[in-house]
Amino acid sequence: MTLSEVSAETANTALAELIETAKISKHALARRVNALAEEAGEPRSYTQTSVKNWTRGMVPREPVPRFIAQALAERLGRPVDPAEIGMPASRRKTADVGLDFHRDTHTAVHNASQFWSTVHRRSLLTGAFALGAYTTPLSRWLAVPEDPDASHPGNRRVGRHDLDALWEAAAHAQRQDSRYGGGTREASQVDRILRERAVPLLHGGYTDAVGRELYAGTAELARVAGWSALDMGHHALAQRHFIQALRMAKAAGSMNVGCHVLTNLALQTTLRGYPDAAVDMAQGAFERARHKAAPRVLAFAKLIEARAHARLGDRRSAAAALAHSERLLERADTVPGNEPSWIRYYTPARMSADAVEIHRDLNLPDAALRWNERATPMSATDFTRSVGLRMTLVATAHIQRGELDRALADGQRAIVILSSVRSARAADYLSDVVRTMGPWRRDPRVAGFSQRAHQAIVLSTTRTS
């Protein structure tokens, strides 16, 4: 059998058709693949003859199929998987999707796009939290938090209107999550926005300045998506969103966004039972950003550090971190600077709400209840979930003081407030109230409360369509 016969028999028609759809010449494709390979430290010297050979069935070695897919994705304005160009040998395991933190910006954008195109895979919803998944992202962001160039060639020019729409989508998603939890239809729309709006923009054409803001806005969208996933107990999915958010923050060169995302990683790590590692994350985020990030962003990092210390039972360190957060927050409020709008949710009332949990965790119920008085300005309309969770904490603080009547009253308030929230975290906090009332389980009032709490728990964990 001759070479021509082999080529005709194994021609890669999928690649040929995609090249035609992308309206890119073989010469231009070869040139772009060479450029991507050079950027990734894998220099190549392909020509239009090489592209002809690929369409005839030749499959280049890894990682070239990824570069071919990325070059076509840039022209098409959507993600392209190597399997789509007829090179399935480069398919990646689902378990690895979204965990990349590549040093090269363009490769990182391509990997993030692939993840956001496969975000609904069931394995990502049922997977387990893996602390080790944060090792590389954490070390690489702390070492080099800014990429040198955010510009990108592409047919579709990204402009101010695109950036404003992206930021507004992120702000709206955050508001909806705060009001109704991560299990609502509105919260789930963030994944679609990432896939259908952010990804095409990432593959468009933009200058360094536009690219940095585009990456920052995408990072904030991914952070909100990660928080909504965490709120519904999908921790493996949340990890991937957070990792890609941190990578986009690095591409943006934004210390504010990077510090905030890393602080979210620390909070998830605390909630998953690794407060010691969370302390390191929060401290690392603060120290790396302390001379560049806004005071309110840094204040939030110190708050999460305090929460981690409290889970460890370290009263002195928790008090120091919380006091530091309060000082930074006072500075942010008294000397307004150029702070991002997305961090303005962190107010003195919000700090006080978290301080309730910090002192409850430290078994200091009197202090927890004093902080609760300072948290009352928080609006139950705008921050429904947060206010409802705080009432569960107040109930458990009353249990620590042996005050069953007051615990039942505040627990009932929590049920009423959280009735409109879809959140696995809310269910966990309600379950914790029921657990702490265990010594009084034979009391008819406790039995009635437990039944109502159970009904609310079932409702909280049911995602709305």
Side-chain angles (χ1 to χ4, degrees):
M1 183 176 289
T2 65
L3 177 60
S4 61
E5 289 173 326
V6 173
S7 299
E9 197 172 304
T10 61
N12 189 340
T13 56
L15 176 59
E17 290 173 0
L18 214 54
I19 291 173
E20 184 177 352
T21 302
K23 292 181 172 56
I24 185 172
S25 69
K26 292 180 175 63
H27 176 71
L29 178 59
R31 188 171 64 243
R32 184 57 185 149
V33 170
N34 289 339
L36 291 170
E38 181 70 28
E39 291 170 4
E42 302 272 356
R44 297 289 193 278
S45 55
Y46 292 119
T47 64
Q48 60 182 0
T49 300
S50 305
V51 178
K52 287 180 182 178
N53 289 335
W54 297 337
T55 61
R56 290 170 179 168
M58 182 180 294
V59 179
R61 294 181 179 178
E62 287 282 8
V64 177
R66 289 193 289 109
F67 299 147
I68 299 171
Q70 182 174 343
L72 291 170
E74 293 170 356
R75 295 297 292 255
L76 293 167
R78 66 171 178 81
V80 175
D81 191 273
E84 189 180 348
I85 63 173
M87 298 180 182
S90 60
R91 285 178 184 155
R92 302 165 64 205
K93 295 180 180 179
T94 301
D96 296 333
V97 174
L99 297 177
D100 310 83
F101 201 91
H102 205 282
R103 290 187 178 90
D104 172 66
T105 305
H106 297 303
T107 302
V109 169
H110 177 71
N111 291 340
S113 299
Q114 283 187 313
F115 164 61
W116 290 323
S117 298
T118 59
V119 75
H120 292 297
R121 290 182 178 178
R122 181 169 179 77
S123 59
L124 298 182
L125 297 178
T126 58
F129 175 85
L131 180 60
Y134 283 149
T135 302
T136 297
L138 177 63
S139 61
R140 288 186 178 174
W141 186 82
L142 290 175
V144 185
E146 303 179 22
D147 285 359
D149 181 22
S151 62
H152 188 269
N155 291 335
R156 185 196 188 290
R157 300 302 296 177
V158 179
R160 182 73 256 165
H161 174 75
D162 299 311
L163 298 175
D164 290 343
L166 208 61
W167 282 112
E168 176 51 36
H172 177 72
Q174 178 171 299
R175 290 192 296 269
Q176 295 299 104
D177 176 80
S178 295
R179 289 176 179 173
Y180 308 116
T184 62
R185 183 184 64 82
E186 290 82 2
S188 66
Q189 292 300 305
V190 186
D191 293 342
R192 181 183 61 78
I193 294 170
L194 281 165
R195 181 174 65 254
E196 297 179 6
R197 293 171 63 178
V199 168
L201 294 177
L202 291 173
H203 290 291
Y206 38 86
T207 62
D208 177 69
V210 171
R212 291 188 185 281
E213 189 169 351
L214 172 61
Y215 292 144
T218 304
E220 174 61 5
L221 263 175
R223 186 200 66 80
V224 175
W227 188 252
S228 293
L230 179 154
D231 194 51
M232 283 306 293
H234 303 314
H235 289 280
L237 177 59
Q239 278 196 283
R240 286 157 171 78
H241 277 306
F242 287 152
I243 288 172
Q244 298 312 311
L246 188 62
R247 187 59 189 87
M248 291 299 101
K250 184 176 184 295
S254 173
M255 201 65 77
N256 278 317
V257 176
C259 179
H260 192 228
V261 171
L262 185 50
T263 302
N264 276 250
L265 266 68
L267 181 52
Q268 183 193 30
T269 300
T270 297
L271 296 174
R272 296 313 296 159
Y274 302 94
D276 198 38
V279 168
D280 294 335
M281 288 183 181
Q283 289 179 339
F286 178 87
E287 292 299 330
R288 195 67 178 87
R290 67 183 307 172
H291 299 300
K292 292 186 177 181
R296 201 176 301 270
V297 174
L298 296 172
F300 187 68
K302 279 297 172 183
L303 174 78
I304 301 310
E305 181 190 337
R307 288 189 58 166
H309 284 306
R311 289 291 177 98
L312 289 169
D314 187 342
R315 293 185 178 185
R316 175 180 289 184
S317 296
L322 183 60
H324 198 165
S325 179
E326 188 170 19
R327 290 195 300 273
L328 286 165
L329 198 52
E330 288 174 354
R331 193 170 99 198
D333 285 336
T334 56
V335 187
N338 186 24
E339 68 177 15
S341 60
W342 44 257
I343 192 60
R344 290 174 190 159
Y345 70 87
Y346 187 45
T347 62
R350 167 61 197 271
M351 180 198 69
S352 300
D354 280 52
V356 173
E357 184 162 5
I358 289 169
H359 290 88
R360 192 285 309 265
D361 288 347
L362 290 170
N363 198 28
L364 296 171
D366 292 347
L369 295 175
R370 286 195 297 271
W371 279 102
N372 180 58
E373 293 176 2
R374 295 175 57 178
T376 53
M378 282 193 74
S379 166
T381 300
D382 295 333
F383 301 99
T384 311
R385 181 184 56 207
S386 182
V387 173
L389 295 182
R390 176 164 56 83
M391 296 315 299
T392 69
L393 296 167
V394 171
T396 55
H398 282 304
I399 289 294
Q400 289 176 340
R401 287 164 50 116
E403 299 170 344
L404 179 60
D405 289 346
R406 299 187 68 178
L408 285 167
D410 288 317
Q412 183 57 38
R413 291 191 190 97
I415 290 175
V416 172
I417 294 171
L418 294 173
S419 62
S420 62
V421 173
R422 299 296 175 268
S423 164
R425 281 198 305 141
D428 289 342
Y429 277 55
L430 284 171
S431 296
D432 194 43
V433 177
V434 173
R435 182 186 59 79
T436 59
M437 290 182 180
W440 294 276
R441 61 183 176 275
R442 298 186 186 279
D443 188 311
R445 296 172 301 166
V446 172
F449 172 80
S450 298
Q451 184 177 7
R452 292 190 296 275
H454 178 71
Q455 293 170 347
I457 288 167
V458 171
L459 189 62
S460 293
T461 53
T462 303
R463 180 182 286 272
T464 58
S465 59

